[in-house]
Structures are given as C-alpha cells and as structure tokens.
Amino acid sequence: MWLKSQDYGLAALPGERADGSPFPVREVMTARSASGDLLVCPLDLRARAAAAIVGFLSTAGDSLREATLGGAAEKLRQKAGAVLGELTGGAVHVVSTTWTVPLPWFVLVLPDERVMADGSVYWQVPMGTARKRVQRAFELAESTFGESGPTKVLQDTSRWLAHFHEASLVELDYGGLVELLDEETIESDTSAEDVNAILDAIEHPDPGAVAERFERLREFWSDLAVRERMQ
C-alpha cells in the first residue's frame, strides 16, 4: 500500500493524515473465539507501512530506490523509524510477506484446521496452542539446523507471539496469494502437512522423510518464487 501510494505522489503513509498524524479511527479485523468472545485485531496500517519502508530501503538496489523515491530515501527512513518508535506494545498485530508464506510459519497450524471459504485460505488457532507449537518446532530446529535459517524465523515468531494476550487468536492466511493459485492447486496444497511431517521426522530421526517433504514443498512454492524473481 505504501509503495503504490508513491505512484500518486502521496507523502503521507497509509493510515495517517496529510500532516503526518495518525487517523483517529483505527481499521480493525474481527473474529470470534471458540467460546464466542469477540476478538479485535488492529490492522496497524501506518506502522506496517513504516516497517515496509525500512524493509524496502534495506533490500532494494540503488537504482530501484532512486527511481522510486528520488532523494527522499533518508527522510523516509527517519520518518519510518519515528513511527515504529511510537508503536504501542512494541509489535504490529499483522505480519506479512509477499509472494510466499515462510515455511516455518506452518508449524503454527495443523492440516485439518485449514478453512477455505469465499476465496480465502486460512487457519485460526488459540494463542496458547500456537506458542506451544512454535516452541516445540524451535527446539527441534535449533538442534538440527543450528541458530540460523528456520530456527531464526521461529525465534522471531515466538518473540512476536509473546507481545499479545494469552486469550488471543492467531490467524495464518494466504491473503492475496489465492489470486495467484487456481482452485485445483489450492486443493492439492499440503504445506501444513509437509512441515509438520518434517518436525515428526526430525523428532524420530527419518532423514528420508525430511528430504521427501522438503522436495514437495519446493515443488509447490517454486512457481511463486519464479514470479517473484521476474518482477
């Protein structure tokens, strides 16, 4: 949303007024817990846009930054840092990636918890369950892969989950990715099953099963990876 706004010469971030102050009304998502309680998730558009700026400035090449932002890069970096410094609770409520879902995130969910409805694909799990699953996966990954790669992603995910109330609900969803996948492909997606099978194969050593499941994941997500490289 932030990058698209640059096409129209907008100085303000999504979620803030032209003078740089945040909108007084926050956009939210709502859901019901298993007990029927109404749960509210702030979308944190302004803070997420600031985080997107930081990510863009740290990963985009010089020519892309120049073509997109001209000489405003450093000013935007300072503004983004200030906005993130104002973030209540120290974490945004929504974390997103483009083109793919980080495979370690699938440890949060089980295959039979998937919901496919109204053009959406998502899972919802109680916070306590999510934290336990991430902790188990982190311990297995650390003992197998060391401190980098999936272990680092799981560590960051655990720290993020720790910011929120224990009665919260955690949602993993495909967002706009469903527009890039046809119905047959979505139906055949076994990512959650494969990631959990890898954990089981690590816990009860079965190198062959680990390799087989990694290959299935690679095949499923490779098409989206190619699209990302083509952009």
Side-chain angles (χ1 to χ4, degrees), residues 4 12 23 34 74 78 118 133 146 154 168 222 226-228:
K4 188 174 182 180
F23 285 140
E74 186 55 35
Q78 293 175 4
D118 301 324
R133 290 174 178 174
L154 290 167
S168 300
S222 61
V226 169
R227 296 191 192 196
E228 180 180 17

Side-chain angles (χ1 to χ4, degrees), residues 89-93 95 104-105 107-109 125-136 153-172:
V92 293
H93 291 74
V95 178
W105 287 3
V107 307
L108 292 162
V109 301
V125 296
M127 177 62 74
T129 301
R131 287 174 175 168
K132 290 178 182 177
R133 290 174 178 174
V134 169
Q135 182 59 33
R136 174 200 177 220
V153 176
L154 290 167
Q155 184 178 50
D156 291 343
T157 303
S158 179
R159 289 172 176 169
W160 177 69
L161 293 175
H163 283 89
F164 306 108
H165 194 279
E166 60 183 10
S168 300
L169 195 65
V170 182
E171 177 172 306
L172 173 65

